[in-house]
Amino acid sequence: SPCVFEFYPGDALPLPADVSNADDWTFVSLAGTSGTACVTGGTANVCTITDIDADTAVAATWKQQLDLTITKSGTGSVALSGSTPYSGSTCNAAAASPCVFEFYPGDNVTLTADNSNADDWTFVSLAGTSGTSCVTGGSANVCTITNIQADTAVTATWKQLFELTVDRVGSGTITFSGATPISGTSCLTVVSTDCVATFKDGDTVTVTADVDDSDDWTFVSIAGTGCTVTGNACEIVVSADRTVTATWKQQLDLTITK
């Protein structure tokens, strides 16, 4: 650029600009400069110069289309705000991964990952990859990409939620330790009732049964699917809904009077 052509006075010239979006460039405008009467009519990418009687200048503008690729690990949605993408419309929970949007150089976009724990999936992280500067600021589920100048990739991660239920047979107390539950935090204290807590897939939790016989109940066993039992403790790596059963038996006196 520029391309220079020579014409005779009085010539007329239609100029059609390419709108095929070939090679990831999209047509933006076609307009005369330096007083040129470049009449586009009803089609923005075609202008006609009639009765050329002086040196004439026309500017044709295209913008590069840059990909923003959002890879979803797990199930969740990512909302976009800021600059309007040239293509791509949604990245909701039902959308296949990856979600691909196209932006122009210089665009700014903010990504917000769902952190509502909907459908038993909990938000874990939102981060740029491949050198992307995805600035999260004060909210881990929100990142902003400013002045996009290249293809950009972001990964949003959610993990599935599972329930860990502890059933008590007899009378005794239990405690949870290890990973922090998403819900059911009361199980982290010593409790004397059945307890249900929700954890992320892959969390490691230890359930410990009381072995103090002072209340006339003695610990018998602790067991459950996926349990690694050591004494009165069960360690479990959460990968599905699980139930752990802790059992105590009452101590009854037999008094013989002579």
Side-chain angles (χ1 to χ4, degrees):
S1 178
C3 304
V4 179
F5 302 87
E6 292 187 337
F7 289 88
Y8 295 120
D11 282 352
L13 177 66
L15 298 175
D18 176 31
V19 289
S20 65
N21 297 337
D23 301 320
D24 292 331
W25 289 82
T26 187
F27 170 76
V28 175
S29 65
L30 180 65
T33 60
S34 304
T36 303
C38 184
V39 181
T40 57
T43 307
N45 70 306
V46 179
C47 83
T48 301
I49 304 171
T50 59
D51 192 20
I52 296 174
D53 59 3
D55 289 338
T56 300
V58 173
T61 303
W62 294 263
K63 281 189 176 181
Q64 191 174 11
Q65 302 162 18
L66 301 174
D67 288 343
L68 169 60
T69 302
I70 303 173
T71 300
K72 298 192 301 175
S73 176
T75 297
S77 63
V78 179
L80 281 70
S81 59
S83 300
T84 301
Y86 171 75
S87 68
S89 59
T90 184
C91 194
N92 59 25
S97 179
C99 307
V100 180
F101 301 84
E102 290 187 333
F103 288 90
Y104 295 130
D107 280 352
N108 305 309
V109 60
T110 296
L111 308 178
T112 304
D114 175 33
N115 62 353
S116 66
N117 296 339
D119 300 319
D120 292 330
W121 288 83
T122 189
F123 169 76
V124 175
S125 64
L126 179 65
T129 58
S130 305
T132 302
S133 179
C134 185
V135 180
T136 55
S139 300
N141 69 311
V142 179
C143 84
T144 299
I145 304 169
T146 58
N147 191 25
I148 296 173
Q149 293 295 329
D151 290 338
T152 299
V154 173
T155 298
T157 303
W158 297 264
K159 284 192 174 182
Q160 195 165 7
L161 297 175
F162 296 108
E163 286 187 346
L164 176 59
T165 302
V166 177
D167 289 337
R168 298 179 319 117
V169 177
S171 179
T173 60
I174 55 171
T175 56
F176 282 32
S177 59
T180 301
I182 302 299
S183 64
T185 54
S186 60
C187 295
L188 296 177
T189 59
V190 177
V191 292
S192 56
T193 60
D194 295 347
C195 200
V196 179
T198 303
F199 292 91
K200 300 188 302 294
D201 184 22
D203 280 353
T204 299
V205 185
T206 299
V207 181
T208 303
D210 172 37
V211 292
D212 181 4
D213 294 342
S214 61
D215 56 356
D216 291 334
W217 287 84
T218 188
F219 169 75
V220 175
S221 65
I222 187 167
T225 303
C227 258
T228 300
V229 176
T230 303
N232 63 319
C234 157
E235 183 182 83
I236 190 165
V237 178
V238 178
S239 59
D241 290 337
R242 299 294 190 197
T243 298
V244 175
T245 301
T247 302
W248 295 263
K249 284 189 176 180
Q250 191 172 14
Q251 304 164 14
L252 300 174
D253 292 340
L254 171 60
T255 302
I256 301 173
T257 301
K258 298 192 296 177

